[in-house]
Amino acid sequence: MEQRKIITTSERGLQEESLPFRLYQKAKKFGVWNPTDIDFSQDVEHWAILPEEKKGEILRLISQFQAGEEAVTLDLLPLIMAIAKEGRLEEEMYLTTFLFEEAKHTEFFRLVLNAIGEKGDLSVHHTDTYKKIFYEILPETMNRLMTDQSPEAIAEASTVYNMFVEGVLAESGYYSFYRSLEAGGLMPGLLKGVGLLKRDESRHIGYGTFLLQRLICEHPHLYDQVSNRMNELLPLAFMLNREGFKGQEVNSSGATLEDSMQFTQKQFNARMEVLSRAKGRKIEEIYKLSESEVGVI
Ligand SMILES: [Fe+2]
Ligand SMILES: [Fe+2]
């Protein structure tokens, strides 16, 4: 029988300077905001007088985020298990905060919906492309880790979850929230929560960036796998944007489809650029990466 090796009583101790441990420290400080502390009273007032078309756009965004946060909450566990099985203690310690934060994000959007009285079935806002990503690709990719914990499977999971869903889709979604609400000072409770969860997400994406850089450094052939997968997924992000505009070029907030497409492409390029830096890096350098180098705010 294989015997456990205890890490924290060995000379190694905890790698307090490593990026995952620093992210863990950051999460204990910034990831503890409480969705129930947010005041939605003004949001309720605004919701009652917003034009129907604008309400429809915001509700579509909220319902996609609500389902997305639920999906990432339910689907993360196999990755945590795979990392724990490899004995990567600092990474697992960080991941305990990751799952907690996703649960809070799920709670947050439900609180918004409850406050504004939208309690019906919102799955009508889940378009075919949305369903393809969140009902199929994400759960299938993450559940694969229950039986296959190869570096290829872990890299695939992090590509879909951290780089694409969090790093491209969610970032594009925050942009849409700000673009339609910020200038008019609308729905301040909703925007406050979005700002807080955007900060949490920057750590999630930062961890994913670290994980993929580590995997690429340990197994250089994975760079092509990750890069090919990202290129396969990108058209789905464009299609989601297009479906959100319902055949129009400009929405009720004056935002253009062209601008959304450009923002999505910019996010995609930023992820790919950071990952490409993993090639030729030494493993010690990856553990020493700064928070800003992986985009943590
Ligand atoms: Fe989240
Ligand atoms: Fe996340």
Short mmCIF file of all heavy atoms in Angstrom, two decimals, residues 218-270:
data_model
loop_
_atom_site.label_atom_id
_atom_site.label_comp_id
_atom_site.label_asym_id
_atom_site.label_seq_id
_atom_site.Cartn_x
_atom_site.Cartn_y
_atom_site.Cartn_z
N GLU A 218 6.00 21.53 -18.21
CA GLU A 218 6.31 20.13 -17.91
C GLU A 218 6.14 19.22 -19.13
O GLU A 218 6.81 18.20 -19.25
CB GLU A 218 5.38 19.63 -16.77
CG GLU A 218 5.70 20.25 -15.42
CD GLU A 218 4.55 20.09 -14.39
OE1 GLU A 218 3.41 19.79 -14.77
OE2 GLU A 218 4.82 20.30 -13.19
N HIS A 219 5.19 19.59 -20.00
CA HIS A 219 4.88 18.77 -21.19
C HIS A 219 4.71 19.72 -22.39
O HIS A 219 3.57 20.08 -22.71
CB HIS A 219 3.58 17.98 -20.98
CG HIS A 219 3.49 17.30 -19.64
ND1 HIS A 219 4.05 16.07 -19.40
CD2 HIS A 219 2.92 17.71 -18.49
CE1 HIS A 219 3.82 15.74 -18.13
NE2 HIS A 219 3.13 16.71 -17.56
N PRO A 220 5.80 20.12 -23.01
CA PRO A 220 5.73 21.18 -24.04
C PRO A 220 4.73 20.90 -25.17
O PRO A 220 4.19 21.84 -25.75
CB PRO A 220 7.16 21.26 -24.57
CG PRO A 220 8.00 20.77 -23.44
CD PRO A 220 7.19 19.71 -22.74
N HIS A 221 4.46 19.63 -25.47
CA HIS A 221 3.51 19.36 -26.58
C HIS A 221 2.11 19.89 -26.28
O HIS A 221 1.28 20.05 -27.17
CB HIS A 221 3.45 17.85 -26.89
CG HIS A 221 2.73 17.06 -25.83
ND1 HIS A 221 3.32 16.64 -24.67
CD2 HIS A 221 1.43 16.63 -25.76
CE1 HIS A 221 2.43 15.98 -23.93
NE2 HIS A 221 1.29 15.96 -24.58
N LEU A 222 1.83 20.16 -25.00
CA LEU A 222 0.48 20.63 -24.64
C LEU A 222 0.16 22.02 -25.17
O LEU A 222 -1.00 22.40 -25.29
CB LEU A 222 0.29 20.61 -23.11
CG LEU A 222 0.17 19.22 -22.48
CD1 LEU A 222 0.06 19.35 -20.97
CD2 LEU A 222 -1.04 18.48 -23.03
N TYR A 223 1.21 22.79 -25.50
CA TYR A 223 0.93 24.14 -26.01
C TYR A 223 0.06 24.08 -27.26
O TYR A 223 -0.92 24.82 -27.38
CB TYR A 223 2.22 24.92 -26.29
CG TYR A 223 1.88 26.28 -26.84
CD1 TYR A 223 1.44 27.29 -25.99
CD2 TYR A 223 1.93 26.54 -28.20
CE1 TYR A 223 1.06 28.54 -26.48
CE2 TYR A 223 1.56 27.79 -28.71
CZ TYR A 223 1.13 28.78 -27.84
OH TYR A 223 0.75 30.00 -28.34
N ASP A 224 0.39 23.17 -28.17
CA ASP A 224 -0.39 23.07 -29.40
C ASP A 224 -1.81 22.61 -29.12
O ASP A 224 -2.76 23.09 -29.73
CB ASP A 224 0.28 22.11 -30.40
CG ASP A 224 1.53 22.73 -31.00
OD1 ASP A 224 1.66 23.97 -30.95
OD2 ASP A 224 2.38 21.98 -31.50
N GLN A 225 -1.95 21.68 -28.17
CA GLN A 225 -3.29 21.21 -27.81
C GLN A 225 -4.15 22.38 -27.32
O GLN A 225 -5.29 22.57 -27.74
CB GLN A 225 -3.20 20.13 -26.72
CG GLN A 225 -4.57 19.62 -26.27
CD GLN A 225 -4.53 18.82 -24.96
OE1 GLN A 225 -3.76 17.88 -24.84
NE2 GLN A 225 -5.37 19.19 -24.00
N VAL A 226 -3.58 23.17 -26.40
CA VAL A 226 -4.31 24.29 -25.80
C VAL A 226 -4.65 25.33 -26.87
O VAL A 226 -5.80 25.80 -26.98
CB VAL A 226 -3.48 24.94 -24.66
CG1 VAL A 226 -4.12 26.22 -24.15
CG2 VAL A 226 -3.30 23.95 -23.51
N SER A 227 -3.66 25.64 -27.67
CA SER A 227 -3.85 26.66 -28.69
C SER A 227 -4.90 26.22 -29.73
O SER A 227 -5.79 26.98 -30.10
CB SER A 227 -2.48 26.92 -29.33
OG SER A 227 -2.61 27.54 -30.53
N ASN A 228 -4.84 24.95 -30.15
CA ASN A 228 -5.84 24.45 -31.11
C ASN A 228 -7.24 24.48 -30.52
O ASN A 228 -8.21 24.85 -31.19
CB ASN A 228 -5.52 23.01 -31.55
CG ASN A 228 -4.25 22.95 -32.38
OD1 ASN A 228 -3.82 23.96 -32.93
ND2 ASN A 228 -3.64 21.77 -32.46
N ARG A 229 -7.34 24.08 -29.24
CA ARG A 229 -8.66 24.04 -28.60
C ARG A 229 -9.24 25.45 -28.49
O ARG A 229 -10.43 25.66 -28.75
CB ARG A 229 -8.53 23.41 -27.21
CG ARG A 229 -9.85 23.12 -26.54
CD ARG A 229 -10.63 22.04 -27.29
NE ARG A 229 -11.86 21.70 -26.64
CZ ARG A 229 -13.05 21.74 -27.26
NH1 ARG A 229 -13.14 22.08 -28.52
NH2 ARG A 229 -14.15 21.39 -26.61
N MET A 230 -8.41 26.41 -28.11
CA MET A 230 -8.88 27.79 -28.01
C MET A 230 -9.38 28.28 -29.37
O MET A 230 -10.42 28.94 -29.45
CB MET A 230 -7.76 28.71 -27.50
CG MET A 230 -7.50 28.61 -26.01
SD MET A 230 -8.89 29.17 -24.99
CE MET A 230 -8.59 30.94 -24.94
N ASN A 231 -8.64 27.94 -30.42
CA ASN A 231 -9.07 28.37 -31.76
C ASN A 231 -10.37 27.71 -32.19
O ASN A 231 -11.17 28.30 -32.91
CB ASN A 231 -7.96 28.11 -32.78
CG ASN A 231 -6.90 29.20 -32.70
OD1 ASN A 231 -7.20 30.38 -32.82
ND2 ASN A 231 -5.66 28.81 -32.43
N GLU A 232 -10.60 26.47 -31.72
CA GLU A 232 -11.86 25.80 -32.03
C GLU A 232 -13.03 26.46 -31.30
O GLU A 232 -14.15 26.49 -31.79
CB GLU A 232 -11.81 24.35 -31.52
CG GLU A 232 -11.26 23.34 -32.48
CD GLU A 232 -11.02 22.00 -31.77
OE1 GLU A 232 -11.64 21.73 -30.71
OE2 GLU A 232 -10.20 21.24 -32.29
N LEU A 233 -12.75 26.94 -30.06
CA LEU A 233 -13.82 27.49 -29.23
C LEU A 233 -14.18 28.93 -29.60
O LEU A 233 -15.33 29.35 -29.40
CB LEU A 233 -13.42 27.43 -27.74
CG LEU A 233 -13.32 26.03 -27.13
CD1 LEU A 233 -12.60 26.07 -25.79
CD2 LEU A 233 -14.71 25.40 -26.95
N LEU A 234 -13.22 29.68 -30.12
CA LEU A 234 -13.46 31.10 -30.39
C LEU A 234 -14.72 31.39 -31.21
O LEU A 234 -15.49 32.29 -30.85
CB LEU A 234 -12.22 31.73 -31.05
CG LEU A 234 -12.32 33.23 -31.36
CD1 LEU A 234 -12.54 34.06 -30.11
CD2 LEU A 234 -11.08 33.71 -32.11
N PRO A 235 -15.00 30.62 -32.29
CA PRO A 235 -16.23 30.91 -33.06
C PRO A 235 -17.50 30.82 -32.21
O PRO A 235 -18.47 31.52 -32.48
CB PRO A 235 -16.22 29.83 -34.15
CG PRO A 235 -14.80 29.39 -34.26
CD PRO A 235 -14.20 29.54 -32.90
N LEU A 236 -17.48 29.98 -31.16
CA LEU A 236 -18.66 29.88 -30.30
C LEU A 236 -18.88 31.20 -29.54
O LEU A 236 -20.01 31.63 -29.32
CB LEU A 236 -18.52 28.72 -29.29
CG LEU A 236 -18.47 27.31 -29.88
CD1 LEU A 236 -18.21 26.28 -28.79
CD2 LEU A 236 -19.79 26.99 -30.59
N ALA A 237 -17.78 31.84 -29.13
CA ALA A 237 -17.89 33.13 -28.43
C ALA A 237 -18.46 34.18 -29.38
O ALA A 237 -19.33 34.98 -28.99
CB ALA A 237 -16.52 33.56 -27.91
N PHE A 238 -18.02 34.17 -30.62
CA PHE A 238 -18.55 35.13 -31.60
C PHE A 238 -20.04 34.87 -31.83
O PHE A 238 -20.84 35.79 -31.93
CB PHE A 238 -17.79 35.02 -32.92
CG PHE A 238 -16.40 35.60 -32.87
CD1 PHE A 238 -15.36 35.03 -33.59
CD2 PHE A 238 -16.13 36.73 -32.09
CE1 PHE A 238 -14.08 35.58 -33.55
CE2 PHE A 238 -14.85 37.28 -32.04
CZ PHE A 238 -13.82 36.70 -32.77
N MET A 239 -20.41 33.59 -31.92
CA MET A 239 -21.81 33.25 -32.16
C MET A 239 -22.69 33.70 -31.00
O MET A 239 -23.80 34.19 -31.20
CB MET A 239 -21.96 31.75 -32.36
CG MET A 239 -22.18 31.41 -33.82
SD MET A 239 -22.64 29.71 -34.03
CE MET A 239 -21.09 28.87 -33.89
N LEU A 240 -22.17 33.56 -29.77
CA LEU A 240 -22.94 34.02 -28.60
C LEU A 240 -23.19 35.52 -28.69
O LEU A 240 -24.30 35.99 -28.40
CB LEU A 240 -22.13 33.76 -27.32
CG LEU A 240 -22.49 32.57 -26.43
CD1 LEU A 240 -21.72 32.67 -25.12
CD2 LEU A 240 -23.98 32.48 -26.14
N ASN A 241 -22.18 36.28 -29.08
CA ASN A 241 -22.35 37.73 -29.26
C ASN A 241 -23.44 38.01 -30.28
O ASN A 241 -24.33 38.84 -30.06
CB ASN A 241 -21.05 38.38 -29.78
CG ASN A 241 -20.03 38.59 -28.68
OD1 ASN A 241 -20.38 38.61 -27.51
ND2 ASN A 241 -18.78 38.74 -29.06
N ARG A 242 -23.36 37.29 -31.39
CA ARG A 242 -24.32 37.53 -32.47
C ARG A 242 -25.74 37.22 -31.99
O ARG A 242 -26.67 37.98 -32.23
CB ARG A 242 -23.94 36.65 -33.67
CG ARG A 242 -24.44 37.20 -34.97
CD ARG A 242 -23.74 36.59 -36.18
NE ARG A 242 -22.45 37.18 -36.44
CZ ARG A 242 -21.31 36.48 -36.59
NH1 ARG A 242 -21.32 35.17 -36.47
NH2 ARG A 242 -20.18 37.09 -36.84
N GLU A 243 -25.90 36.11 -31.29
CA GLU A 243 -27.24 35.74 -30.80
C GLU A 243 -27.76 36.78 -29.81
O GLU A 243 -28.95 37.06 -29.76
CB GLU A 243 -27.18 34.36 -30.11
CG GLU A 243 -27.00 33.22 -31.11
CD GLU A 243 -26.65 31.89 -30.46
OE1 GLU A 243 -26.38 31.86 -29.22
OE2 GLU A 243 -26.61 30.88 -31.17
N GLY A 244 -26.84 37.37 -29.02
CA GLY A 244 -27.22 38.39 -28.05
C GLY A 244 -27.78 39.64 -28.73
O GLY A 244 -28.60 40.34 -28.16
N PHE A 245 -27.33 39.90 -29.94
CA PHE A 245 -27.80 41.09 -30.66
C PHE A 245 -29.03 40.79 -31.52
O PHE A 245 -29.57 41.69 -32.17
CB PHE A 245 -26.67 41.69 -31.51
CG PHE A 245 -25.79 42.62 -30.71
CD1 PHE A 245 -24.86 42.13 -29.82
CD2 PHE A 245 -25.91 44.00 -30.84
CE1 PHE A 245 -24.06 42.98 -29.07
CE2 PHE A 245 -25.12 44.86 -30.10
CZ PHE A 245 -24.18 44.36 -29.20
N LYS A 246 -29.46 39.56 -31.53
CA LYS A 246 -30.70 39.15 -32.22
C LYS A 246 -30.82 39.71 -33.64
O LYS A 246 -31.83 40.30 -34.02
CB LYS A 246 -31.91 39.57 -31.41
CG LYS A 246 -31.98 38.86 -30.07
CD LYS A 246 -33.27 39.16 -29.37
CE LYS A 246 -33.39 38.29 -28.13
NZ LYS A 246 -34.30 38.80 -27.14
N GLY A 247 -29.75 39.57 -34.39
CA GLY A 247 -29.80 39.99 -35.79
C GLY A 247 -29.61 41.48 -36.01
O GLY A 247 -29.59 41.95 -37.15
N GLN A 248 -29.50 42.25 -34.92
CA GLN A 248 -29.29 43.70 -35.09
C GLN A 248 -27.81 44.05 -34.96
O GLN A 248 -27.03 43.27 -34.42
CB GLN A 248 -30.08 44.46 -34.02
CG GLN A 248 -31.58 44.27 -34.17
CD GLN A 248 -32.33 44.86 -32.99
OE1 GLN A 248 -31.93 44.73 -31.84
NE2 GLN A 248 -33.44 45.52 -33.30
N GLU A 249 -27.47 45.22 -35.42
CA GLU A 249 -26.07 45.67 -35.32
C GLU A 249 -25.86 46.52 -34.08
O GLU A 249 -24.75 46.66 -33.59
CB GLU A 249 -25.68 46.47 -36.57
CG GLU A 249 -25.51 45.63 -37.84
CD GLU A 249 -24.42 44.57 -37.73
OE1 GLU A 249 -23.32 44.89 -37.25
OE2 GLU A 249 -24.67 43.41 -38.14
N VAL A 250 -26.95 47.13 -33.57
CA VAL A 250 -26.86 48.01 -32.40
C VAL A 250 -27.96 47.61 -31.42
O VAL A 250 -29.08 47.31 -31.83
CB VAL A 250 -27.09 49.50 -32.81
CG1 VAL A 250 -26.88 50.44 -31.62
CG2 VAL A 250 -26.15 49.89 -33.95
N ASN A 251 -27.66 47.57 -30.11
CA ASN A 251 -28.71 47.21 -29.15
C ASN A 251 -29.29 48.46 -28.48
O ASN A 251 -28.92 49.59 -28.83
CB ASN A 251 -28.20 46.19 -28.13
CG ASN A 251 -27.21 46.77 -27.13
OD1 ASN A 251 -27.01 47.99 -27.07
ND2 ASN A 251 -26.59 45.92 -26.35
N SER A 252 -30.18 48.25 -27.50
CA SER A 252 -30.91 49.39 -26.93
C SER A 252 -30.01 50.33 -26.14
O SER A 252 -30.38 51.46 -25.85
CB SER A 252 -32.05 48.89 -26.05
OG SER A 252 -31.53 48.41 -24.83
N SER A 253 -28.82 49.87 -25.77
CA SER A 253 -27.89 50.75 -25.03
C SER A 253 -26.96 51.49 -26.00
O SER A 253 -26.07 52.20 -25.56
CB SER A 253 -27.03 49.94 -24.06
OG SER A 253 -27.84 49.12 -23.26
N GLY A 254 -27.15 51.26 -27.28
CA GLY A 254 -26.29 51.91 -28.27
C GLY A 254 -24.99 51.16 -28.51
O GLY A 254 -24.11 51.63 -29.21
N ALA A 255 -24.88 49.97 -27.90
CA ALA A 255 -23.66 49.17 -28.10
C ALA A 255 -23.73 48.47 -29.46
O ALA A 255 -24.82 48.06 -29.89
CB ALA A 255 -23.56 48.12 -27.01
N THR A 256 -22.59 48.36 -30.11
CA THR A 256 -22.60 47.71 -31.43
C THR A 256 -22.05 46.29 -31.35
O THR A 256 -21.21 45.98 -30.51
CB THR A 256 -21.75 48.50 -32.45
OG1 THR A 256 -20.39 48.47 -32.02
CG2 THR A 256 -22.21 49.95 -32.57
N LEU A 257 -22.56 45.48 -32.27
CA LEU A 257 -22.08 44.10 -32.36
C LEU A 257 -20.59 44.08 -32.68
O LEU A 257 -19.82 43.30 -32.12
CB LEU A 257 -22.88 43.36 -33.45
CG LEU A 257 -22.45 41.94 -33.79
CD1 LEU A 257 -22.55 41.02 -32.56
CD2 LEU A 257 -23.32 41.36 -34.91
N GLU A 258 -20.19 44.98 -33.54
CA GLU A 258 -18.79 45.10 -33.94
C GLU A 258 -17.88 45.31 -32.72
O GLU A 258 -16.84 44.66 -32.57
CB GLU A 258 -18.69 46.30 -34.92
CG GLU A 258 -17.30 46.70 -35.37
CD GLU A 258 -16.65 45.66 -36.26
OE1 GLU A 258 -17.39 44.87 -36.85
OE2 GLU A 258 -15.41 45.62 -36.30
N ASP A 259 -18.32 46.20 -31.82
CA ASP A 259 -17.55 46.49 -30.61
C ASP A 259 -17.45 45.23 -29.73
O ASP A 259 -16.40 44.91 -29.18
CB ASP A 259 -18.25 47.64 -29.87
CG ASP A 259 -17.52 48.03 -28.61
OD1 ASP A 259 -16.29 48.18 -28.67
OD2 ASP A 259 -18.19 48.18 -27.56
N SER A 260 -18.57 44.50 -29.59
CA SER A 260 -18.57 43.26 -28.79
C SER A 260 -17.59 42.24 -29.36
O SER A 260 -16.86 41.57 -28.64
CB SER A 260 -19.95 42.63 -28.78
OG SER A 260 -20.82 43.42 -28.06
N MET A 261 -17.63 42.12 -30.69
CA MET A 261 -16.74 41.16 -31.36
C MET A 261 -15.28 41.53 -31.10
O MET A 261 -14.44 40.68 -30.82
CB MET A 261 -17.00 41.17 -32.87
CG MET A 261 -18.37 40.65 -33.25
SD MET A 261 -18.61 38.93 -32.77
CE MET A 261 -19.76 38.38 -34.01
N GLN A 262 -15.01 42.82 -31.20
CA GLN A 262 -13.63 43.27 -30.98
C GLN A 262 -13.18 43.02 -29.56
O GLN A 262 -12.04 42.62 -29.31
CB GLN A 262 -13.50 44.76 -31.30
CG GLN A 262 -13.28 45.01 -32.78
CD GLN A 262 -13.28 46.49 -33.13
OE1 GLN A 262 -13.24 47.35 -32.26
NE2 GLN A 262 -13.34 46.78 -34.41
N PHE A 263 -14.09 43.24 -28.60
CA PHE A 263 -13.73 43.01 -27.20
C PHE A 263 -13.42 41.53 -26.96
O PHE A 263 -12.44 41.17 -26.32
CB PHE A 263 -14.86 43.47 -26.26
CG PHE A 263 -14.45 43.40 -24.82
CD1 PHE A 263 -13.76 44.44 -24.22
CD2 PHE A 263 -14.71 42.26 -24.06
CE1 PHE A 263 -13.35 44.36 -22.89
CE2 PHE A 263 -14.30 42.16 -22.74
CZ PHE A 263 -13.62 43.22 -22.15
N THR A 264 -14.27 40.66 -27.51
CA THR A 264 -14.06 39.22 -27.37
C THR A 264 -12.72 38.80 -27.98
O THR A 264 -11.95 38.04 -27.38
CB THR A 264 -15.23 38.45 -28.04
OG1 THR A 264 -16.44 38.81 -27.37
CG2 THR A 264 -15.04 36.95 -27.99
N GLN A 265 -12.45 39.33 -29.16
CA GLN A 265 -11.18 39.00 -29.83
C GLN A 265 -9.98 39.48 -28.99
O GLN A 265 -8.97 38.78 -28.86
CB GLN A 265 -11.15 39.66 -31.22
CG GLN A 265 -9.89 39.36 -32.03
CD GLN A 265 -9.83 37.92 -32.56
OE1 GLN A 265 -10.74 37.48 -33.24
NE2 GLN A 265 -8.77 37.19 -32.23
N LYS A 266 -10.13 40.65 -28.38
CA LYS A 266 -9.06 41.21 -27.55
C LYS A 266 -8.79 40.32 -26.33
O LYS A 266 -7.64 40.04 -25.98
CB LYS A 266 -9.47 42.63 -27.10
CG LYS A 266 -8.31 43.52 -26.74
CD LYS A 266 -8.78 44.91 -26.37
CE LYS A 266 -8.87 45.01 -24.86
NZ LYS A 266 -9.67 46.08 -24.34
N GLN A 267 -9.87 39.85 -25.70
CA GLN A 267 -9.71 38.95 -24.55
C GLN A 267 -9.01 37.66 -24.97
O GLN A 267 -8.14 37.15 -24.29
CB GLN A 267 -11.08 38.59 -23.95
CG GLN A 267 -11.73 39.70 -23.17
CD GLN A 267 -10.86 40.18 -22.04
OE1 GLN A 267 -10.31 39.39 -21.28
NE2 GLN A 267 -10.70 41.47 -21.91
N PHE A 268 -9.45 37.13 -26.11
CA PHE A 268 -8.87 35.90 -26.63
C PHE A 268 -7.37 36.08 -26.87
O PHE A 268 -6.54 35.27 -26.45
CB PHE A 268 -9.59 35.52 -27.93
CG PHE A 268 -9.05 34.29 -28.59
CD1 PHE A 268 -9.51 33.03 -28.23
CD2 PHE A 268 -8.08 34.38 -29.58
CE1 PHE A 268 -9.01 31.89 -28.84
CE2 PHE A 268 -7.56 33.25 -30.18
CZ PHE A 268 -8.03 32.00 -29.81
N ASN A 269 -7.03 37.18 -27.55
CA ASN A 269 -5.62 37.44 -27.85
C ASN A 269 -4.79 37.57 -26.57
O ASN A 269 -3.66 37.09 -26.51
CB ASN A 269 -5.47 38.73 -28.67
CG ASN A 269 -6.09 38.61 -30.04
OD1 ASN A 269 -6.43 37.52 -30.49
ND2 ASN A 269 -6.26 39.74 -30.71
N ALA A 270 -5.38 38.22 -25.55
CA ALA A 270 -4.65 38.42 -24.30
C ALA A 270 -4.34 37.07 -23.64
O ALA A 270 -3.23 36.83 -23.17
CB ALA A 270 -5.47 39.29 -23.35
#
